[in-house]
Amino acid sequence: MIAQQRFYLLSFTNSMFEKAMSTFSEKVESLIQSEKPDLKKAEDGISLCIETLSKLQKKVEQEDFEDAQEEIDFFKNIKPFPMSYLIYFSEVRTCELMLPKAGNSNKVRFLKKEMKKINKFFTVNSSFVSYMEQGRTYLDHQFFSRNARPDFSFSPSINYYINPEFSTSHDMLWAKVQALYRYIHYIREKSERIEPGSSGSYRERQPNVLVWSGAKISLVEMIYSLYHAGDINHGTVDLKTLFSVFEDIFNIKFDNYYKNYGEMKARKDPRAKYLYKIASILETKMREDDEK
């Protein structure tokens, strides 16, 4: 899996893109967590994404890349991060504007049609999605290099960034894949707010009854660890979505996980004490198994 897809800041600590990506990540997370209406979030998000992509494009034009691998890394892991949010926020904006104004059943029906469109997209692009989800790299030189691009495989409605020097054949397709993962969650949440229970048909198999019986802050610790590891949805999932998923799984409500994170940071070492605890338990169990 593509564990580094958390826009690869960890592997780009010396990159010329680090500052722009770090700033974007903080701003987009703050926007998603805000209490603004969805339409306003989408409009502000579009502006933020365009601003960030413009900065990236200027850097590429001014400095370009040291070698082919850095170019591939940029178009596979850096540019698609803000680009995916641009596509996501654009989809949300369109949905908010087109959503029927009256009748909950009409609204839910519209959202179901949106989900069908998403499913069709993933079906049409199943080979590419499989390639990316399995962490393959053998075609990266074709998909994410400008020199290997005979034509564009994907023509998004957002064509502002189809620039020969700032696009490859598949970077925007990969961005749209990531965007639609987020959009699926948006549709689920929107449907649930309109008509509780209506999003059930969108879910994969859910466990029957699971209850988190430990301390809530321990679960918060685990979720933050998963988020920063970047191992879910190729690292594209945002904190709000991740916490919502765990709320669904364990029938629990997180009141203020940002405050919980501050409490964890204020601890004396080890600050991730629950993770240390369960890691120690697992290590002990495996040693016991070895001794048998």
Side-chain angles (χ1 to χ4, degrees):
M1 299 298 288
I2 311 170
Q4 297 137 310
Q5 185 59 38
R6 184 87 176 91
F7 69 80
Y8 280 70
L9 273 188
L10 294 178
S11 62
F12 273 79
T13 51
N14 297 319
S15 167
M16 61 180 173
F17 309 110
E18 179 189 7
K19 183 177 180 181
M21 289 293 90
S22 180
T23 300
F24 174 77
S25 182
E26 292 173 2
K27 287 184 177 181
V28 78
E29 189 62 43
S30 177
L31 177 61
I32 290 171
Q33 295 297 329
S34 72
E35 298 299 323
K36 295 179 180 179
D38 287 338
L39 181 57
K40 179 60 175 172
K41 283 185 184 180
E43 291 174 342
D44 289 350
I46 289 170
S47 297
L48 173 62
C49 294
I50 290 176
E51 177 186 352
T52 301
L53 286 163
S54 295
K55 290 179 180 178
L56 292 181
Q57 184 172 355
K58 287 178 182 177
K59 283 185 176 291
V60 169
E61 290 173 349
Q62 292 169 359
E63 304 179 40
D64 212 344
F65 306 103
E66 292 185 0
D67 52 39
Q69 187 55 52
E70 188 175 61
E71 178 186 27
I72 289 171
D73 284 340
F74 175 80
F75 287 108
K76 183 178 182 181
N77 306 312
I78 302 293
K79 180 192 170 187
F81 185 64
M83 190 73 234
S84 68
Y85 272 102
L86 177 56
I87 296 172
Y88 165 72
F89 284 127
S90 297
E91 293 287 346
V92 170
R93 182 180 184 276
T94 299
C95 183
E96 288 293 320
L97 294 174
M98 299 296 292
L99 191 70
K101 306 304 179 187
N104 287 347
S105 61
N106 293 331
K107 294 177 181 179
V108 171
R109 193 178 303 116
F110 174 83
L111 294 173
K112 286 183 177 179
K113 288 181 179 179
E114 288 295 287
M115 193 65 79
K116 287 181 179 179
K117 292 178 185 177
I118 294 172
N119 287 333
K120 183 177 180 180
F121 168 84
F122 278 105
T123 298
V124 170
N125 296 286
S126 58
S127 295
F128 175 71
V129 173
S130 176
Y131 172 88
M132 297 301 293
E133 289 188 340
Q134 293 184 49
R136 294 172 177 167
T137 59
Y138 64 91
L139 292 177
D140 283 2
H141 64 288
Q142 295 182 26
F143 291 162
F144 302 108
S145 171
R146 293 166 295 179
N147 293 334
R149 182 193 63 249
D151 53 28
F152 288 94
S153 67
F154 170 55
S155 299
S157 58
I158 305 165
N159 55 19
Y160 185 82
Y161 288 99
I162 296 184
N163 178 312
E165 296 304 314
F166 195 60
S167 299
T168 68
S169 64
H170 285 68
D171 66 289
M172 293 186 72
L173 177 59
W174 179 220
K176 185 164 185 177
V177 170
Q178 297 175 47
L180 292 187
Y181 278 128
R182 297 189 189 100
Y183 191 44
I184 288 170
H185 183 76
Y186 159 82
I187 292 174
R188 271 190 53 196
E189 280 201 332
K190 192 77 174 177
S191 298
E192 197 65 26
R193 289 199 301 267
I194 294 170
E195 192 174 277
S198 61
S199 66
S201 59
Y202 305 150
R203 299 172 185 269
E204 301 294 333
R205 280 191 316 166
Q206 294 291 323
N208 291 329
V209 178
L210 292 177
V211 177
W212 179 258
S213 53
K216 187 181 292 187
I217 196 169
S218 297
L219 186 54
V220 172
E221 190 177 311
M222 288 184 62
I223 295 170
Y224 265 97
S225 298
L226 290 169
Y227 171 68
H228 288 292
D231 290 333
I232 297 177
N233 275 17
H234 325 300
T236 64
V237 66
D238 55 70
L239 269 175
K240 181 179 178 182
T241 299
L242 201 51
F243 273 95
S244 295
V245 168
F246 276 85
E247 286 180 334
D248 290 344
I249 293 173
F250 293 116
N251 192 28
I252 193 173
K253 182 67 178 176
F254 295 103
D255 301 316
N256 192 336
Y257 48 84
Y258 279 113
K259 181 181 178 182
N260 294 146
Y261 181 67
E263 292 170 355
M264 290 188 293
K265 287 179 65 178
R267 293 170 178 169
K268 294 181 179 179
D269 289 335
R271 291 188 283 187
K273 61 181 183 179
Y274 184 70
L275 295 178
Y276 276 90
K277 175 184 173 182
I278 59 177
S280 177
I281 290 171
L282 182 59
E283 288 285 353
T284 300
K285 178 62 173 68
M286 289 190 289
R287 283 196 297 270
E288 291 174 351
D289 291 343
D290 292 341
E291 292 170 0
K292 290 181 180 179

